[in-house]
């Protein structure tokens, strides 16, 4: 050992110039001899930062002189032990997983979080010189279990002739003399540390006497001892070095070089020497929810850029929350703000990688129906647009139920068998509905069944494609190196999907390309090497996927480096090394600041054992220090913001630090709401706001100032006042003819726009799959059973026969429930309600005609005024050439105009007979009848007399003519223009809400 190592210590507060002194001395050594020194920093970001600063000051610099402390420790230990192989963290996680898989806890052996906690526990034990120093006072089966894991992992590492980072720190002292330190120069620079772990302290003490000269920065602040708790770790190192007769030269740097605007705040922040000077450069903002917060911060950032502030001067510091980051990115893109996100990312966040692995996930779940159906959404289907329809068909065909574990081939056969059964049932149901129903809304349901039948055949073909992909991975053990090709093949498979381009090339997903490149170019090759190291030449797809999940979860990558000309999105850890003029700290809630976590495997000891207690305190202190360092790297203005509730209304606590920040802010806090958004900076919002000036005198000035030429061209095409009218009546004629049912006429009467959506565009409301009868099917059942009963058949047998056509009988419980329910309803109607007299109707009428269809389709033309009417009359009773009209309803809801139209049809169908009246008869409710009428003829005037209303033939013909004329002229305004409640229970009410929001009326 040399006589003395001279150590230069630069001790001072933050921003006192410690790092500047380190860099100046490093550059001096570099100019004398570029190979004469080594620089060590805490992490890759910091080391890169220092290296780049040095490179900007000199033309010649050797990048390999700069190490993180982990890299340098591993480099030295590997040189001292060339026969040992460095083992990555992921391999240790694999070993822990294998150990757990052979215990009673094998169910959690693949839990990424559990493995991470156990890995941390092992490192904590190493760093604290043995298991007993953490669990010293405890002896039970739980502690024994943890010790077994620790001992087994250590034994594996040693027996496999490997070492990890902590071995390099702690065991280097046993072999340090075999390292040739001359290749690393004579001077060691250490900077960027605010504290040293026990392992760091041991390592630095071990190597200190190998360098004649050491430069070290020592952060200390007499007013912030609690904040700079790590000062004690420096003192521990100095005490250890003193025993090696090391010479110290301490340079005190007491002056802080804070910018004037923020100096009082930074000096007093987290200090016992409080001096609360209010400043306009400290802004604290409270928001109703995360969405409001992100919108307003994005607006402020955009306004700063418009005012000429450089994007390079702005940083938004976000919590380690992927959803927060993603929401912020999307909103900034809306405002056309360029950004770069600097954050460690897991590849597991990638949408594309999730899609690639969906088939392996399906295999891992034993080909469960849920995971199989997920493949249609994941891009493995040639018809991605059908995924939602397939989901409905799978539910309707009972594919989601009654599955036991079986082979892939049997599952495929079972899928197709159940679909074939369901198809036969639908075809039977279709024949029944086509025979029994002729109304337009019934036609919609018939059309839907026809589509379902058609899509079942498409579904079967897509099932063949999906299962052919699964068969490729449903194999025994295969060579490790074959999995790369298999993943590439799966990637090519999803690239065939039309939606792939939308995801992969959309501007918000540039990061997706980075994820995919890292997955194939780095992660998979690293995994392959790791598995070979563990002794696998071949491995089953299921086990490969389990290891892959661990690897993906534990590996983190910096996806997007900082790019000039863009604002920076970063977490607190990165932000502490990044100096910016303006910093926004968003999401400043209790769950994020401080973000405290402790290993659950010994969290219960934190109040009883010193070491776990130290762990907990250290977590909180580290979080607070990281925050402080990030804050003091803001030079001009700092914004703190937090939401008080989630987007769905759940309360959120603000950070414990907010009260302290508010003491420095001019305003206690700034509350934002939609009302005080004075400025619009998003291009879309700008155009929406300025559109209202189109056609006015100031438009020309606005167009030139805001580059609105493209918008002007669009507005010129649509400048006519919106009239809810179709201009091209020729195209309208293809969809509209003179054939109408009451439902069709009444639909226009209720809401012309709804008529437009249904009959011209062909939209349908939300489809719901149920195993019970829907309202239309109930109506068919009641009509058919009553027809059969009055024709002399057994009504119970008719219920049974008709239910067999309308409901899937494979589920007996549902069938029995439906039979019992409807048998009771029909029994009450037939033997109770039918016996009750209807006013103005003689008892001598008897049922004569049932389910009587009319219209062009049945060659029974019923022309009323200018239209051909079609429909089906439920029942006509007769008494000596006198007729009485009855229309069944499930419930007491009907329109008098329907009875009148059917009356006019009866007169045409039975010209030799006289219709005297009619009524609605509800089947399900206790009410016996409603809207009964009689026909009165005075001179040439015909009147339908209801109990409280009279309607003449002239009125009904005018209604028909006016409705037909409006439909033919393409006039389709929404009813909510005149009636705000018109959209209640409408299947298209969301469309009306959107139109109201846009003020499109």
């Amino acid at each position: 050992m040399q006589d003395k190592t001279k150590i230069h210590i630069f001790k001072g507060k933050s921003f006192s110039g410690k790092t500047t002194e380190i860099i100046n001395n490093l550059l001096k050594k570099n100019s004398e001899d570029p190979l004469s020194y080594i620089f060590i920093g805490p992490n890759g970001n910091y080391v890169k930062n220092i290296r780049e600063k040095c490179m900007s000051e000199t033309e010649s610099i050797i990048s390999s002189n700069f190490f993180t402390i982990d890299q340098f420790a591993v480099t030295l230990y590997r040189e001292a032990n060339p026969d040992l192989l460095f083992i990555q963290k992921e391999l240790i996680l694999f070993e822990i997983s294998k150990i757990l898989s052979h215990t009673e806890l094998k169910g959690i052996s693949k839990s990424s979080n559990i493995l991470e906690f156990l890995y941390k526990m092992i490192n904590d034990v190493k760093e604290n010189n043995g298991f007993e120093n953490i669990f010293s006072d405890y002896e039970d089966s739980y502690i024994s279990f943890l010790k077994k894991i620790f001992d087994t992992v250590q034994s594996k590492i040693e027996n496999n002739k490997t070492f990890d980072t902590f071995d390099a720190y702690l065991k280097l002292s046993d072999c340090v003399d075999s390292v040739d330190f001359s290749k690393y120069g004579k001077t060691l620079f250490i900077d960027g540390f605010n504290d040293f772990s026990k392992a760091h302290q041991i390592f630095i003490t071990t190597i200190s006497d190998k360098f004649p000269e050491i430069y070290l920065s020592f952060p200390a602040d007499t007013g912030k001892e609690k904040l700079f708790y790590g000062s004690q770790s420096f003192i521990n190192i100095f005490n250890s070095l003193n025993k090696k007769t090391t010479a110290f030269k301490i340079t005190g740097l007491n002056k802080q070089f804070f910018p004037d605007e923020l100096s009082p705040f930074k000096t007093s922040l987290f200090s016992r020497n409080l001096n609360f000077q209010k400043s306009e450069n400290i802004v604290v903002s409270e928001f109703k929810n995360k969405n409001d917060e992100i919108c307003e911060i994005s607006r402020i950032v955009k306004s700063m850029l418009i005012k000429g502030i450089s994007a390079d001067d702005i940083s938004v510091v976000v919590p380690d929350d992927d959803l927060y980051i993603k929401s912020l990115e999307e909103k900034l893109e809306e405002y056309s703000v360029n950004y770069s996100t600097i954050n460690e990312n897991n590849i597991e966040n990638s949408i594309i990688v999730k899609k690639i692995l969906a088939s392996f996930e399906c295999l891992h779940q034993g080909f469960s129906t849920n995971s199989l159906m997920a493949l249609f959404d994941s891009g493995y289907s040639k018809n991605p647009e059908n995924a939602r329809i397939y989901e409905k068909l799978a539910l309707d065909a009972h594919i989601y139920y009654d599955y036991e574990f079986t082979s892939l081939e049997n599952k495929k056969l079972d899928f197709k068998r159940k679909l074939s059964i369901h198809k036969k049932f639908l075809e039977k149901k279709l024949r029944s509905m086509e025979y029994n129903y002729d109304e337009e809304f019934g036609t919609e349901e018939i059309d839907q069944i026809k589509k379902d039948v058609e899509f079942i055949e498409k579904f079967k073909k897509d099932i063949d494609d999906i299962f052919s992909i699964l068969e490729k991975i449903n194999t025994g053990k295969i060579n490790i190196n074959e999995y790369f090709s298999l993943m590439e093949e799966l990637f090519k498979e999803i690239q065939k999907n039309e939606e792939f381009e939308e995801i992969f090339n959309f501007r918000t997903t540039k990061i997706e390309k980075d994820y995919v490149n890292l997955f194939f170019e780095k992660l998979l090759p690293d995994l392959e090497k790791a598995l070979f190291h563990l002794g696998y030449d071949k491995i089953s797809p299921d086990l490969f996927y389990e290891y892959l999940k661990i690897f993906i979860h534990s590996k983190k990558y910096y996806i997007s480096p900082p790019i000039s000309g863009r604002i920076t999105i970063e977490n607190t850890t990165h932000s502490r090394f990044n100096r910016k003029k303006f910093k926004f700290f968003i999401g400043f809630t209790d769950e994020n600041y401080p973000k405290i976590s402790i290993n659950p495997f010994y969290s219960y000891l934190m109040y009883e054992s010193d070491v776990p207690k130290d762990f907990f305190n250290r977590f909180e202190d580290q979080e607070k220090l990281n925050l402080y360092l990030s804050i003091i790297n803001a030079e001009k203005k700092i914004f703190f913001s937090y939401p008080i509730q989630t987007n769905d209304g759940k309360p959120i606590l603000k950070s414990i630090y907010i009260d302290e920040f508010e003491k420095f802010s001019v305003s206690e806090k700034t509350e934002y709401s939609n009302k005080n958004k004075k400025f619009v900076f998003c291009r879309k919002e700008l155009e929406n706001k300025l559109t209202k000036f189109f056609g006015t005198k100031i438009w020309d000035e606005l167009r030139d100032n805001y580059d609105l030429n493209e918008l002007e061209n669009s507005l010129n095409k649509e400048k006519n006042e919106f009239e809810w009218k179709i201009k091209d009546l020729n195209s309208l004629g293809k969809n509209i003819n003179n054939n109408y049912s009451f439902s069709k006429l009444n639909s226009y009467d209720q809401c012309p726009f709804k008529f437009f959506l249904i009959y011209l565009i062909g939209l349908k409301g939300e489809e719901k799959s149920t195993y019970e009868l829907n309202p239309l099917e109930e109506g068919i059942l009641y009509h058919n059973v009553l027809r059969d009963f009055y024709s002399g058949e057994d009504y119970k047998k008719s219920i049974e026969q008709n239910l067999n056509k309308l409901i899937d009988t494979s589920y007996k419980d549902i069938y029995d429930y439906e039979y019992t329910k409807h048998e009771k309803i029909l029994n009450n109607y037939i033997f109770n309600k039918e016996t009750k007299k209807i006013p103005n109707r003689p008892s001598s009428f008897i049922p004569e005609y049932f389910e009587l269809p009319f219209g062009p389709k049945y060659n029974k033309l019923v022309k009323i005024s200018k239209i051909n009417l079609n429909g089906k009359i439920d029942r006509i009773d007769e008494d000596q050439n006198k007729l009485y009209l009855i229309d069944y309803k499930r419930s007491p809801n009907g329109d008098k105009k329907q009875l009148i139209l059917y009356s006019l049809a009866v007169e045409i169908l039975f010209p030799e007979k006289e219709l005297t009246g009619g009524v609605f008869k509800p089947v399900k409710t206790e009410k016996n009848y409603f809207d009964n009428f009689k026909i009165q003829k005075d001179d040439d005037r015909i009147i339908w007399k209801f109990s409280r209303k009279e309607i003449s033939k002239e009125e009904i013909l005018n209604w028909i003519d006016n409705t037909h004329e409006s439909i033919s002229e393409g006039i389709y305004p929404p009813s909510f223009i005149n009636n705000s409640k018109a959209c209640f229970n409408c299947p298209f009410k969301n469309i009306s809400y959107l139109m109201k929001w846009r003020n499109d009326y």
Side-chain angles (χ1 to χ4, degrees), residues 552-565:
I552 286 176
H553 181 78
S554 59
K555 281 275 192 183
K556 289 191 175 183
Y557 302 92
Y558 280 102
I559 295 294
S560 176
I563 301 173
S564 177

Side-chain angles (χ1 to χ4, degrees), residues 412-420 460 463-464:
K412 173 182 172 182
L413 293 173
D414 206 21
F415 253 64
K416 298 178 79 169
R417 180 182 63 83
K418 289 192 174 184
L419 283 172
S420 296
K460 286 181 179 180
I463 285 171
D464 287 334

Side-chain angles (χ1 to χ4, degrees), residues 832-838 841 921 926 928-929:
N832 184 13
K833 293 170 73 171
E834 272 293 328
T835 61
K836 294 180 180 179
K837 190 175 183 304
I838 301 172
R841 179 182 186 261
K921 294 275 285 180
E926 289 303 316
N928 184 35
Y929 65 91

